Amino acid sequence: MSNANEIPYKIYLEESEMPTQWYNVRADMTKKPAPILNPGTLQPVTLQELSGIFCEELAKQELDDTTAYFDIPTEIRDFYKMYRPSPLVRAYCLEKKLDTPAHIYYKFEGNNTSGSHKLNSAIAQVYYAKRQGLKGVTTETGAGQWGTALSMACSYFDLDCQVYMVKVSYEQKPFRREVMRTYGAKVTPSPSMDTEIGRKINAEFPGTTGSLGCAISEAVEAAVTQDGYRYVLGSVLAQVLLHQSIIGLETQTALQKYGIKADTIIGCAGGGSNLGGLISPFAGEMLRGENQYELIAVEPASCPSLTRGVYAYDFCDTGKVCPLAKMYTLGSGFIPSANHAGGLRYHGMSSIVSELYDQGLITARSVEQTRVFEAATTFARVEGILPAPESSHAIRVAIDEALKCKETGEAKNIVFGLTGTGYFDMVAYQKFNDGEMSDYIPTDADLQKALASLPKV
Amino acid sequence: MSNANEIPYKIYLEESEMPTQWYNVRADMTKKPAPILNPGTLQPVTLQELSGIFCEELAKQELDDTTAYFDIPTEIRDFYKMYRPSPLVRAYCLEKKLDTPAHIYYKFEGNNTSGSHKLNSAIAQVYYAKRQGLKGVTTETGAGQWGTALSMACSYFDLDCQVYMVKVSYEQKPFRREVMRTYGAKVTPSPSMDTEIGRKINAEFPGTTGSLGCAISEAVEAAVTQDGYRYVLGSVLAQVLLHQSIIGLETQTALQKYGIKADTIIGCAGGGSNLGGLISPFAGEMLRGENQYELIAVEPASCPSLTRGVYAYDFCDTGKVCPLAKMYTLGSGFIPSANHAGGLRYHGMSSIVSELYDQGLITARSVEQTRVFEAATTFARVEGILPAPESSHAIRVAIDEALKCKETGEAKNIVFGLTGTGYFDMVAYQKFNDGEMSDYIPTDADLQKALASLPKV
């Protein structure tokens, strides 16, 4: 149906075409994702329990697996208008470079200062916290995209923002830290001396440079010990996928506007926030029997939760303070090797994505980082945009698929999510440019060892 | 005429509304800018002389002060479509924050990987070099925006790109360097041992960290001593303002589309590439007696060429190898103090901007950098975009003007150019965040001293 002559380089929706509701794919799933469990009782977590950690409205969204659509409050839609609708770009130059009959499209979420799609959920979470009359929120950040997004959202709604940043990132990524500070956030290297758990870890492991697990524990402690604070998280959760559905909804509208039927939809997957958001509406069409798509999750070979993990209940954090979720996991004790896609270094996967994968609606691939950076460089040189290492996992598979089309002669419509930009990842690009980047794939023994830490549920 | 309810947050033109021609404001000037002079003969430079340094088509554009419109070649328009039309944004959130009756708009040029408007001219210059059958181009870069833009353009048209990067920036801005390398550019710290002038300077000043003047000299030497190479420059030149007129033309079209009559148009000014590009079409309307606007150039107080310089012939580079231009200048020997807006640290000003200023069509203001960063932070927190220090000069004056409207109750339409993003300027933001940023304003004695170096023409 598509007519190349009519399709612009960038499809921008009008503001009036922006979605006014988020879509909750769980509502269309006959077999729902398993409930999250209280880490103390190992029973399904209650709204009341969850409201101690998250603000109430978000706790409700987290537990609601039957309501298909949630209205996006006007205040959030107004904020969205500053950087949304995001463009769906026809990658004409990449197609030409690859000499492929495939039509390649990418939904670009990097045109905002946080540099990624994370802002879509940050602004929603902060809005609900503000509406509840809270003073502030706490969170952890590793690579820094989530922390940046959250600090922007908090500055907009004038809420206090406390970010525990893994110490090694705090020191090695001073620019990310300064962006957060510019937006008024208090950024603390973790482990710190501000929390009990931080002091304990510092005493136990003098000179430690921290870990995401430790930063989560500090952020949760800071939330529950301060009046008027809640903890917020940028991925994995059902509420996050709900907010991120705006990516997929806009993509759906843009494709419909030009009469394009996507064949293959590709997203990178760490905790699942981008992938889940991008594919939700399309998975919904599949679940309702309206359409068929090939949905592909792409993960790093160094952290292959979908392709090599097990589907089981596990802790969401290494500190074991958050609820347990049933998900594809490598074990909460799994330490991914030095991989430059910080946002994909998570041991588990969103329960929703995990369940869709288990039901066969999504397929998954793992890719090595040198091949990812090859794809990133090819893409950057012809399409102009310098992609984040995370996003480049999707580029890799989109290119692979387009090259297959070249062999078969098929003119498939390939859509992928370009989650963000790589301006703060130049150390990784430098390694690649200097030929010093290596690949690491965990052995079966590595994986077995980490899986031994799975809880007995 | 404007109706706030109808104006979206971001005005995006359709691709079909993009300008197909650049506008040369000199054609509408009765009194033209003075001709550029051969530094050897001090006579107006000829096309033949100029074609030894620049490629032919660009040399023609440089010397043509009568042709009002130049067709934008299809190949360049196709490239433009990857990141243009750029949005004209209604700063609703900033207006609300300032509680001003003014309507504020900004033309945002930072949504591309080079992070600034520089790409508009880089792609044009590289296209003409390619069409002439050249092998490559050479240039210098200080802050790195121009070098990044040029490397992107060269990678797109598969042309060799050699960038001489001021050594101190090469070492202090490794990320910028890596972006250029990712796009395939050869980046050499200047002074290098690759050129005669570089070796000479290294011998004379062991351990020097370089200067823009020296890097220009190396780049020009590299161009004239290699077969099939030409030198390219990202600002000051008439050809650059011609290409950058796309900024103003798009702004004009976007305003017309919504029936908005701008009252005040503000741009930051270093060499004049952005300001000249933004205001050209509006200055054209003024020159033709069709409309009146208040056009404001904003420069750093530490490098005040318009507000405190003299209007005279001067060297465009400290190495004194480039043609002389009549311009507002502080003297080619003027060394601006440590100012974080690297792109505005130029001793002179585009001849076209200088002449329009001299004729009274443009007014100018100088602002201190702490006030600039205050404005940048205010803007970032409400509008989301983290602005480049250069662009923030325009933000400062836009805010000042909007606050004046608050006093007078006027609902002026204020338009400013937001030239780029500040992702690679976080060292400066850190200084500001830590309260360690200072202001420096040259004394009259400083200026007198530098002006002593003016050539006797």
Side-chain angles (χ1 to χ4, degrees):
Chain A
M1 265 177 81
S2 76
N3 178 344
N5 294 327
E6 291 174 2
I7 300 169
Y9 276 65
K10 299 187 297 304
I11 302 176
Y12 274 111
L13 300 177
E14 302 291 328
E15 276 173 17
S16 56
E17 295 171 304
M18 274 179 68
T20 57
Q21 297 183 309
W22 293 303
Y23 170 64
N24 179 14
V25 69
R26 287 174 295 174
D28 281 316
M29 294 170 75
T30 310
K31 180 163 178 262
K32 314 275 186 194
I36 52 175
L37 306 183
N38 181 317
T41 64
L42 296 186
Q43 292 302 306
V45 92
T46 65
L47 180 60
Q48 200 189 349
E49 288 166 350
L50 210 53
S51 300
I53 306 175
F54 301 131
C55 67
E56 239 178 273
E57 195 62 34
L58 292 167
K60 276 187 204 159
Q61 291 179 357
E62 191 64 33
L63 297 178
D64 186 339
D65 59 9
T66 54
T67 305
Y69 290 95
F70 287 77
D71 285 341
I72 307 176
T74 310
E75 292 85 346
I76 298 176
R77 280 161 55 200
D78 280 348
F79 185 88
Y80 279 165
K81 286 178 190 165
M82 288 203 293
Y83 70 102
R84 310 201 67 83
S86 71
L88 181 70
V89 186
R90 173 76 185 268
Y92 282 116
C93 298
L94 181 62
E95 292 170 17
K96 195 175 156 195
K97 171 83 180 171
L98 301 175
D99 189 23
T100 174
H103 294 190
I104 308 174
Y105 300 85
Y106 55 92
K107 180 70 171 169
F108 181 43
E109 292 289 319
N111 270 353
N112 71 75
T113 291
S114 80
S116 82
H117 66 293
K118 294 285 181 184
L119 198 51
N120 300 330
S121 184
I123 194 66
Q125 296 190 42
V126 170
Y127 166 76
Y128 290 116
K130 180 76 178 179
R131 215 183 55 177
Q132 194 174 317
L134 296 178
K135 290 183 203 155
V137 291
T138 71
T139 200
E140 77 293 331
T141 202
Q145 289 184 323
W146 168 246
T148 308
L150 192 71
S151 63
M152 289 176 69
C154 283
S155 117
Y156 183 80
F157 279 125
D158 199 17
L159 214 65
D160 189 39
C161 182
Q162 301 179 357
V163 181
Y164 289 85
M165 187 171 189
V166 178
K167 196 179 273 177
V168 62
S169 297
Y170 183 90
E171 285 161 2
Q172 290 183 353
K173 292 199 162 188
F175 292 176
R176 273 276 182 216
R177 180 187 78 209
E178 288 308 320
V179 177
M180 291 184 252
R181 289 183 68 207
T182 299
Y183 283 92
K186 181 183 167 203
V187 188
T188 307
S190 166
S192 73
M193 296 304 278
D194 298 359
T195 65
E196 203 170 309
I197 182 85
R199 286 187 293 273
K200 195 179 147 202
I201 291 174
N202 271 317
E204 209 166 324
F205 308 98
T208 177
T209 53
S211 72
L212 205 55
C214 166
I216 293 179
S217 305
E218 287 205 84
V220 173
E221 182 183 326
V224 298
T225 55
Q226 291 178 93
D227 243 11
Y229 281 75
R230 288 294 185 285
Y231 169 69
V232 293
L233 181 64
S235 191
V236 184
L237 300 172
Q239 61 186 269
V240 176
L241 266 70
L242 175 70
H243 308 146
Q244 295 296 358
S245 70
I246 191 150
I247 304 173
L249 292 165
E250 281 185 10
T251 303
Q252 201 178 33
T253 306
L255 291 172
Q256 279 164 2
K257 192 169 176 176
Y258 284 88
I260 304 157
K261 163 64 177 67
D263 296 298
T264 305
I265 302 172
I266 302 163
C268 62
S273 70
N274 154 67
L275 178 80
L278 174 65
I279 65 166
S280 275
F282 299 97
E285 292 180 33
M286 292 171 77
L287 288 161
R288 296 189 303 269
E290 298 164 1
N291 250 323
Q292 275 303 316
Y293 300 100
E294 186 183 17
L295 308 178
I296 307 177
V298 190
E299 56 186 16
S302 58
C303 194
S305 55
L306 287 173
T307 51
R308 296 178 69 196
V310 297
Y311 193 29
Y313 266 107
D314 197 5
F315 297 103
C316 291
D317 60 311
T318 11
K320 305 184 181 180
V321 293
C322 295
L324 279 75
K326 188 178 177 196
M327 57 184 176
Y328 277 84
T329 180
L330 298 165
S332 64
F334 180 77
I335 310 285
S337 64
N339 178 298
H340 292 290
L344 305 183
R345 298 184 65 202
Y346 183 65
H347 68 277
M349 179 60 64
S350 137
S351 288
I352 296 174
V353 170
S354 292
E355 182 56 33
L356 290 171
Y357 177 64
D358 200 55
Q359 293 181 20
L361 273 82
I362 303 176
T363 59
R365 299 202 196 153
S366 73
V367 288
E368 293 91 41
Q369 69 173 345
T370 48
R371 290 195 68 236
V372 166
F373 275 83
E374 275 167 29
T377 304
T378 300
F379 180 82
R381 291 189 181 186
V382 293
E383 289 288 321
I385 297 166
L386 186 81
E390 290 82 359
S391 327
S392 303
H393 285 67
I395 298 176
R396 174 72 269 167
V397 170
I399 290 179
D400 289 346
E401 290 299 300
L403 291 175
K404 273 189 215 163
C405 287
K406 188 176 171 178
E407 281 177 26
T408 63
E410 283 177 288
K412 275 190 183 174
N413 287 317
I414 299 170
V415 176
F416 71 90
L418 189 72
T419 54
T421 50
Y423 305 129
F424 294 97
D425 299 287
M426 294 318 297
V427 170
Y429 274 97
Q430 180 172 2
K431 283 233 154 111
F432 179 73
N433 293 337
D434 289 340
E436 289 170 3
M437 181 172 280
S438 58
D439 291 319
Y440 174 79
I441 303 173
T443 63
D444 288 341
D446 292 339
L447 295 181
Q448 284 308 322
K449 199 174 149 194
L451 285 173
S453 68
L454 279 185
K456 308 279 174 277
V457 179
Chain B
M1 268 176 76
S2 76
N3 178 344
N5 294 329
E6 291 174 5
I7 298 168
Y9 277 65
K10 299 186 297 307
I11 303 176
Y12 273 111
L13 300 177
E14 302 290 327
E15 277 174 16
S16 56
E17 295 171 305
M18 274 179 68
T20 56
Q21 297 183 309
W22 292 305
Y23 170 64
N24 180 14
V25 69
R26 288 174 294 174
D28 281 316
M29 295 170 75
T30 311
K31 181 164 176 260
K32 312 276 185 194
I36 52 175
L37 307 182
N38 181 318
T41 64
L42 297 186
Q43 293 301 308
V45 94
T46 65
L47 180 60
Q48 200 189 349
E49 288 166 350
L50 210 54
S51 301
I53 305 174
F54 302 131
C55 66
E56 240 178 274
E57 196 61 35
L58 293 167
K60 275 185 204 161
Q61 291 179 357
E62 192 63 35
L63 298 178
D64 186 338
D65 59 9
T66 54
T67 306
Y69 290 95
F70 287 78
D71 285 340
I72 308 176
T74 310
E75 292 85 347
I76 297 176
R77 280 161 56 199
D78 280 347
F79 184 88
Y80 278 164
K81 285 177 191 166
M82 288 201 294
Y83 70 101
R84 309 201 68 84
S86 70
L88 180 71
V89 186
R90 173 77 185 268
Y92 282 115
C93 299
L94 181 62
E95 291 171 17
K96 195 174 154 196
K97 171 82 180 172
L98 301 176
D99 189 24
T100 174
H103 294 189
I104 308 174
Y105 299 85
Y106 54 93
K107 180 70 171 168
F108 181 42
E109 292 288 319
N111 270 352
N112 71 75
T113 291
S114 81
S116 83
H117 66 294
K118 294 285 180 185
L119 198 51
N120 300 330
S121 183
I123 195 64
Q125 295 190 44
V126 169
Y127 166 77
Y128 290 116
K130 180 75 177 181
R131 214 183 57 177
Q132 194 174 318
L134 296 178
K135 289 182 203 156
V137 291
T138 71
T139 200
E140 77 293 329
T141 202
Q145 289 184 323
W146 168 245
T148 307
L150 192 70
S151 64
M152 288 177 68
C154 283
S155 117
Y156 183 78
F157 279 127
D158 200 18
L159 215 66
D160 189 40
C161 182
Q162 300 179 359
V163 180
Y164 288 86
M165 186 170 190
V166 178
K167 196 178 273 176
V168 62
S169 298
Y170 183 90
E171 285 160 3
Q172 289 183 353
K173 292 198 162 189
F175 292 176
R176 273 276 181 216
R177 180 186 79 207
E178 289 307 320
V179 177
M180 290 184 252
R181 287 184 68 208
T182 299
Y183 282 93
K186 181 183 166 200
V187 188
T188 307
S190 167
S192 73
M193 296 304 277
D194 298 358
T195 65
E196 203 171 307
I197 183 86
R199 286 187 293 271
K200 196 178 147 203
I201 291 173
N202 271 316
E204 209 166 325
F205 307 99
T208 175
T209 54
S211 72
L212 206 55
C214 166
I216 294 179
S217 305
E218 285 205 86
V220 173
E221 182 185 324
V224 298
T225 55
Q226 290 177 94
D227 242 12
Y229 281 76
R230 289 293 185 284
Y231 169 69
V232 294
L233 183 64
S235 190
V236 183
L237 300 172
Q239 60 186 269
V240 175
L241 267 70
L242 175 69
H243 308 146
Q244 295 295 358
S245 69
I246 191 150
I247 304 173
L249 292 165
E250 282 186 9
T251 303
Q252 201 178 34
T253 306
L255 291 171
Q256 280 164 2
K257 192 168 175 176
Y258 285 87
I260 304 157
K261 163 66 177 67
D263 296 299
T264 306
I265 302 172
I266 302 164
C268 62
S273 70
N274 154 68
L275 178 81
L278 174 66
I279 65 166
S280 273
F282 300 97
E285 291 180 33
M286 292 170 76
L287 288 162
R288 294 188 303 268
E290 298 165 0
N291 250 322
Q292 273 304 317
Y293 300 100
E294 186 182 19
L295 307 178
I296 308 177
V298 190
E299 56 187 15
S302 58
C303 193
S305 55
L306 286 172
T307 50
R308 297 178 69 197
V310 298
Y311 194 29
Y313 266 108
D314 196 5
F315 297 101
C316 291
D317 60 313
T318 12
K320 305 184 180 180
V321 293
C322 295
L324 279 75
K326 189 177 176 193
M327 56 185 178
Y328 276 85
T329 179
L330 299 164
S332 63
F334 180 77
I335 309 286
S337 65
N339 178 297
H340 291 291
L344 304 182
R345 298 183 64 203
Y346 183 66
H347 67 277
M349 179 60 65
S350 140
S351 288
I352 296 174
V353 169
S354 293
E355 182 56 33
L356 289 171
Y357 177 65
D358 200 56
Q359 294 180 20
L361 273 82
I362 303 175
T363 59
R365 301 203 195 151
S366 72
V367 287
E368 294 93 42
Q369 69 174 346
T370 49
R371 289 194 69 236
V372 167
F373 275 83
E374 273 166 29
T377 303
T378 300
F379 179 83
R381 291 189 183 186
V382 292
E383 289 288 323
I385 296 167
L386 186 82
E390 291 83 358
S391 326
S392 304
H393 285 68
I395 298 175
R396 175 71 268 168
V397 170
I399 290 179
D400 289 346
E401 289 299 300
L403 291 175
K404 272 189 217 163
C405 287
K406 188 177 173 177
E407 283 178 24
T408 62
E410 283 176 287
K412 274 191 183 174
N413 287 317
I414 299 170
V415 177
F416 72 90
L418 189 71
T419 55
T421 50
Y423 305 128
F424 294 98
D425 300 287
M426 294 318 297
V427 170
Y429 274 96
Q430 180 171 2
K431 282 231 156 114
F432 180 73
N433 293 337
D434 289 339
E436 289 169 4
M437 182 172 280
S438 58
D439 291 318
Y440 174 78
I441 302 173
T443 63
D444 287 340
D446 292 337
L447 295 181
Q448 285 308 321
K449 198 174 148 194
L451 285 172
S453 68
L454 279 185
K456 309 278 173 279
V457 179

